[in-house]
Amino acid sequence: MSQTLNSSAPRKFRAPGRVNLIGEHTDYNDGFVMPAAINLSVFASVWPRDDRKLQIKSDRFDDEIEFDLNQPNRAAEHHWSDYAVGVAVMLERAGHRLRGARLELRGEVPLGSGLSSSAAVEVATACALTAISNVTIDRRELALLCQRAENEYVGARVGIMDQFVSLFGKEQKALLLDCRSLDYKLLPLPDTVNLVICNTMVKHALAASAYNERRAQCEAGVKHLAQFLPHVRALRDVTLAQLEQYGRDLPEVVYRRCRHVITENTRVLAAGEALERHDLYRFGELMRGSHFSLRDDYEVSSWELDVMVELAFMSDGVYGARMTGGGFGGCTVNIVDVPYVDEFTSFIARQYEHITKLRPEIYVCEASNGAEEIR
Ligand code: GLA
């Protein structure tokens, strides 16, 4: 180990992945989302150094990188380490002076499955680097800096949902977030259900460009609608009645994209009310509506995701099922009564493999706390 490391025992941090229960593709439209942090995390061990070098290693990859904090203008390298380096760069750009460090990352969140392994890496890195540098920073600010790392350094135009819930999630709670004000509410998830996440094992190669295309379509919708409704800054500000009245001249695809976002925002708020009433049946109905809207209006589902969701609808003990995350593959989220979980997972595993010839991974999860230091 290098001479410049000045302590043998590292400090350790944990940042969770997330599953989004409802509110998909609404965060970058200033809308509402309802994710939960899950008990699959990224762990960061950190040793301070006496210089300004950052050494980064991950258990998922063979190579190790070194980054000089005194030369922060190095561009992203389309490398796994970009997420961690991007966070360091954004912290420094925001005026927080960091110490050099050795950072070792270990991940439980499956990569590229739509469970936000990248946000978990960003948040774990941010917690570790700020802690050893004695930088105190508000968690909202930290979430925004991590998002900026992904937007400006990595080059993915993601919204705020993943980073926010990785920092603010709570055990047994779903987090209802207003992505404009960043006000949030923690809502009870009954302990009689599990969040069962089913991985289709498919990752769509075009997901990033399709994501950006959806964002551009939403922006086009806003631009058109704002001509008639000057208060409109984002689709968050538009009602369905207004879309019907002023959106008639929009290209049909853009109209459907807008309709998804507008109806999804309404569903998230209704889902929040349902959870407060402990009404999982209503919650499940709204999840189903969300899936169909993502499939038909927003067109971000896939055959495999649809198969997985239809299988869930055929199973006992399931309140709701839908695709989760950006789409085109990745996972579904299912709210399943605890006594039915085993039956559900074996049914899904068997049938999904039978139909698609792909062996799914299934994670039985619980809503967990946001990022923390492990002592
Ligand atoms: C990805 C992004 C999020 C959000 C979802 C879709 O997970 O990282 O910000 O936009 O897609 O809801």
Side-chain angles (χ1 to χ4, degrees):
M1 214 170 269
S2 158
Q3 290 294 317
T4 42
L5 290 179
N6 60 10
S7 138
S8 53
R11 286 176 73 178
K12 294 187 176 164
F13 297 82
R14 180 190 68 82
R18 64 100 187 95
V19 67
N20 190 16
L21 301 179
I22 192 161
E24 218 65 83
H25 291 277
T26 44
D27 62 352
Y28 54 81
N29 287 297
D30 276 6
F32 301 95
V33 293
M34 198 196 290
I38 53 174
N39 50 327
L40 293 172
S41 293
V42 166
F43 298 87
S45 300
V46 65
W47 293 260
R49 290 174 56 109
D50 291 331
D51 58 11
R52 293 256 295 159
K53 296 262 165 54
L54 218 50
Q55 288 176 295
I56 309 177
K57 193 180 159 21
S58 159
D59 69 334
R60 300 274 174 93
F61 303 93
D62 293 334
D63 53 338
E64 176 173 326
I65 69 115
E66 193 168 287
F67 179 77
D68 186 350
L69 289 165
N70 291 328
Q71 313 218 310
N73 290 328
R74 194 182 84 182
E77 298 187 332
H78 305 290
H79 190 257
W80 60 264
S81 61
D82 287 350
Y83 297 93
V85 170
V87 166
V89 168
M90 291 305 148
L91 280 164
E92 288 263 327
R93 269 192 209 160
H96 304 292
R97 191 172 165 85
L98 300 178
R99 289 179 77 146
R102 175 174 180 81
L103 185 73
E104 292 188 2
L105 299 167
R106 183 170 68 77
E108 294 172 337
V109 190
L111 293 182
S113 60
L115 301 179
S116 290
S117 57
S118 41
V121 165
E122 290 153 15
V123 169
T125 302
C127 291
L129 295 184
T130 51
I132 58 150
S133 307
N134 290 323
V135 168
T136 40
I137 180 166
D138 171 85
R139 283 202 163 205
R140 274 196 174 75
E141 200 54 43
L142 208 56
L144 289 165
L145 280 170
C146 289
Q147 181 198 15
R148 201 172 304 152
E150 197 152 335
N151 290 171
E152 293 175 22
Y153 193 79
V154 179
R157 294 184 69 203
V158 295
I160 188 65
M161 165 166 70
D162 308 344
Q163 294 80 4
F164 197 94
V165 71
S166 185
L167 280 155
F168 287 92
K170 279 280 169 301
E171 225 168 58
Q172 301 254 279
K173 304 276 197 235
L175 185 150
L176 172 57
L177 174 65
D178 177 335
C179 298
R180 173 172 280 166
S181 64
L182 298 188
D183 288 338
Y184 72 96
K185 215 173 180 179
L186 293 163
L187 299 170
L189 281 169
D191 58 8
T192 51
V193 292
N194 281 133
L195 307 177
V196 183
I197 300 171
C198 300
N199 192 342
T200 60
M201 308 306 279
V202 175
K203 192 174 180 254
H204 196 289
L206 297 176
S209 60
Y211 186 92
N212 290 340
E213 184 189 51
R214 297 299 180 284
R215 285 196 68 145
Q217 289 164 332
C218 292
E219 284 160 15
V222 168
K223 199 162 159 210
H224 175 85
L225 295 165
Q227 296 168 32
F228 310 99
L229 304 162
H231 72 283
V232 168
R233 286 195 282 135
L235 288 176
R236 146 74 173 271
D237 303 314
V238 184
T239 64
L240 190 56
Q242 288 170 332
L243 177 69
E244 284 164 0
Q245 187 174 354
Y246 299 108
R248 282 186 298 258
D249 294 334
L250 281 170
E252 192 263 343
V253 174
V254 174
Y255 185 92
R256 281 190 288 116
R257 304 297 189 248
C258 295
R259 184 166 61 191
H260 164 72
V261 174
I262 294 166
T263 57
E264 184 78 348
N265 277 328
T266 310
R267 280 186 290 272
V268 178
L269 296 177
E273 285 163 19
L275 265 195
E276 276 176 334
R277 292 194 309 270
H278 306 282
D279 185 350
L280 288 177
Y281 289 102
R282 174 71 183 138
F283 193 86
E285 239 170 57
L286 293 159
M287 287 175 77
R288 175 193 283 257
S290 169
H291 184 78
F292 293 151
S293 178
L294 289 158
R295 183 190 67 188
D296 302 333
D297 273 355
Y298 219 63
E299 295 177 287
V300 290
S301 190
S302 66
W303 177 69
E304 294 84 358
L305 283 166
D306 292 342
V307 167
M308 200 72 111
V309 164
E310 294 294 336
L311 288 173
F313 291 158
M314 291 160 58
S315 312
D316 289 332
V318 178
Y319 291 99
R322 58 181 284 279
M323 57 154 280
T324 187
F328 301 105
C331 295
T332 67
V333 57
N334 306 268
I335 312 265
V336 186
D337 250 333
V338 172
Y340 288 91
V341 165
D342 288 344
E343 188 183 318
F344 173 80
T345 50
S346 53
F347 174 75
I348 295 279
R350 201 173 50 242
Q351 292 297 327
Y352 181 80
E353 186 171 353
H354 176 69
I355 297 169
T356 64
K357 313 292 175 232
L358 294 166
R359 180 162 298 171
E361 281 179 6
I362 300 181
Y363 322 106
V364 178
C365 290
E366 280 153 25
S368 313
N369 285 332
E372 62 190 354
E373 180 161 11
I374 303 168
R375 295 183 194 275

